[in-house]
Amino acid sequence: MGNPVFITGDIARQVFDWRDAVAALQAVYAQPFGPGACPPRIVAQQGPSWLRALPSNPPGCRYFGAKLMGAAMNVAQPSVDYVIVLFDRETSRIAGFLDANLVTAYRTAATSASAFDKLAPHKPLRLGVIGSGLEASMHTRAFSAMRDLEEVAVYSTTPARREAFAQKLSDELGLPVRPAATPQEAVGDADIVLTAARSHDETPILFADWLPEKAMVVSIGSTIPQQREIDASVIARADLIVCDMLEEVLHETGDMLAAVANGIDVSSRAISLNDLMNGSASDRVAAAQRPMFKSVGGGVQDVVVGGAILDRAIAAGLAAPLPFQFEGKAL
C-alpha cells in the first residue's frame, strides 16, 4: 500500500479532460443516491474565521471524501485555501489530497456541462456569457467540448476584461468570441445563456425580456440566500429547472427565494440532476422549451472530478507521494 499523494493545481491542469469529467459525473448522477450519500454543506464559524466542508460518498465511485475550505478574515491579507481529501474504497485508506482551487472551477463547469449535454440541442449553438472571470471562461471551455459553438458573445462591466476574455478564448478554442457592449447584446440571439457574475450590490444581471424565446439559461452565481444573479422573471420564464442540489437550490439561494416571494411556483417545475441523468424525468425534459440549470455546487462533484484527476495524474506518473503514511486504526 503506497503513501497518499498530493496533486497540485498545475498537475490538475495538465491531466484534466472535459469529456472525461462530464462522463464521470453523468455516470454517478444516473445512479440512486442513498439518503446520506451527499449531505448538505457544513459551515463552522467563530468570529471572523470560518470553515466549510462539502462531504460526499457517491455511488459507483472508487473514492469518497470531502472538500474543505477556510479563511480567517481578520488577517492583513485574507485568502481561502481549498483542499479535497479522497479516501479509497479498495483500501479504506486516504488515497490523496488535491489543491482544490482550480479543481473547484473544473467541477463547477463540468457539472453544468453534464446538464447542458442532456438539455441543449445537437446543433451549432450561439453562447451568450455574462461575466468574464474564471468560472465564465471554464464554462465556455466545457460547453465547447460538448457542442460546436458557432459564436460566443461576452459581456462584463469592465470593457478591458471582456475584450481580454474574447481574445484569449478565441485564440485558445479557435472560435469567434466577441465582446458585447451591453448584456442585452450578449444574450439577444443566444441559444444558451450563461450567467457567471453577480453584481456588487446583488441586483440581478439577467432579465427575461432580454432572452430569445427558447434560450436555455445556466446560472451559477447565487449560492446562498444573500446572493442574487438572475431576476425572478427569468425563473418565471423557465418551464424546467434542473438543480444540482435540489433542496439547497430551492430553499437556500437568493434567486429562488426572491422568485417564491414574487409568487412564482418554483418547486413544481424543478427536478434534480439525478432525475435528469437517470431518465425518470424524460417526458418533462423532452417537453421543455425554456430549460434552466441552476447550480450551487456539492461535495459529490468535488469527489467525482477530483477522483478522475487523481487517477489520470497517477497514470501519467505526475502524482507526488507524500513522505509519510497515516497510522490508521483497525475496525
Side-chain angles (χ1 to χ4, degrees):
M1 189 183 307
N3 291 13
V5 301
F6 182 71
I7 308 298
T8 66
D10 185 59
I11 292 171
R13 185 181 294 106
Q14 292 180 59
V15 302
F16 181 77
D17 180 82
W18 287 111
R19 289 185 173 273
D20 182 47
V22 167
L25 286 163
Q26 290 178 337
V28 168
Y29 274 104
Q31 300 182 58
F33 280 33
C38 193
R41 68 188 106 178
I42 302 164
V43 180
Q45 185 156 0
Q46 176 62 42
S49 62
W50 57 265
L51 175 74
R52 184 182 297 178
L54 284 73
S56 183
N57 195 341
C61 188
R62 177 173 176 176
Y63 302 107
F64 60 100
K67 181 170 74 178
L68 303 175
M69 64 200 84
M73 303 304 294
N74 60 332
V75 301
Q77 294 183 314
S79 63
V80 180
D81 280 354
Y82 298 72
V83 62
I84 296 171
V85 184
L86 295 178
F87 288 77
D88 190 338
R89 287 186 212 280
E90 297 179 4
T91 65
S92 190
R93 305 302 298 271
I94 293 176
F97 301 85
L98 293 86
D99 182 334
N101 181 43
L102 186 61
V103 176
T104 298
Y106 282 144
R107 65 81 149 147
T108 303
T111 303
S112 296
S114 71
F116 165 85
D117 184 48
K118 299 295 184 181
L119 296 169
H122 287 266
K123 65 174 187 177
L125 300 171
R126 297 182 300 276
L127 172 64
V129 180
I130 299 181
S132 59
L134 178 63
E135 293 290 3
S137 64
M138 286 297 188
H139 276 72
T140 302
R141 294 179 178 100
F143 293 167
S144 72
M146 307 310 295
R147 292 289 191 279
D148 290 333
L149 300 182
E150 64 180 23
E151 183 188 62
V152 179
V154 59
Y155 171 79
S156 69
T157 55
T158 305
R161 286 179 60 85
R162 61 184 184 246
E163 290 163 8
F165 178 102
Q167 186 65 58
K168 179 178 176 61
L169 272 294
S170 179
D171 292 344
E172 178 183 328
L173 301 176
L175 299 173
V177 184
R178 61 178 176 86
T182 65
Q184 295 94 320
E185 179 188 338
V187 307
D189 62 354
D191 302 296
I192 311 295
V193 172
L194 167 70
T195 53
R198 304 189 331 268
S199 63
H200 292 298
D201 60 359
E202 302 297 346
T203 57
I205 61 173
L206 181 70
F207 295 83
D209 58 4
W210 298 353
L211 294 167
E213 173 63 22
K214 294 185 178 181
M216 172 184 168
V217 173
V218 175
S219 170
I220 65 165
S222 168
T223 62
I224 60 174
Q226 296 78 20
Q227 294 174 342
R228 295 296 310 279
E229 183 177 56
I230 57 176
D231 186 65
S233 63
V234 178
I235 297 167
R237 166 192 177 277
D239 55 5
L240 181 73
I241 304 171
V242 180
C243 310
D244 66 336
M245 301 285 288
L246 186 62
E247 293 303 313
E248 289 188 34
V249 168
L250 295 182
H251 304 299
E252 298 183 29
T253 64
D255 289 341
M256 293 300 170
L257 293 174
V260 171
N262 277 272
I264 300 166
D265 181 4
V266 174
S267 296
S268 67
R269 64 191 79 185
I271 65 171
S272 70
L273 189 56
N274 300 84
D275 296 330
L276 177 66
M277 296 304 170
N278 65 28
S280 62
S282 57
D283 290 345
R284 295 179 66 182
V285 172
Q289 297 293 305
R290 297 173 300 281
M292 173 189 297
F293 177 67
K294 174 62 181 169
S295 172
V296 295
V300 61
Q301 300 155 21
D302 296 303
V303 170
V304 171
V305 174
I309 290 171
L310 176 63
D311 285 342
R312 291 176 71 91
I314 291 172
L318 295 174
L322 297 176
F324 58 79
Q325 288 188 347
F326 286 86
E327 291 183 6
K329 179 180 179 181
L331 298 178

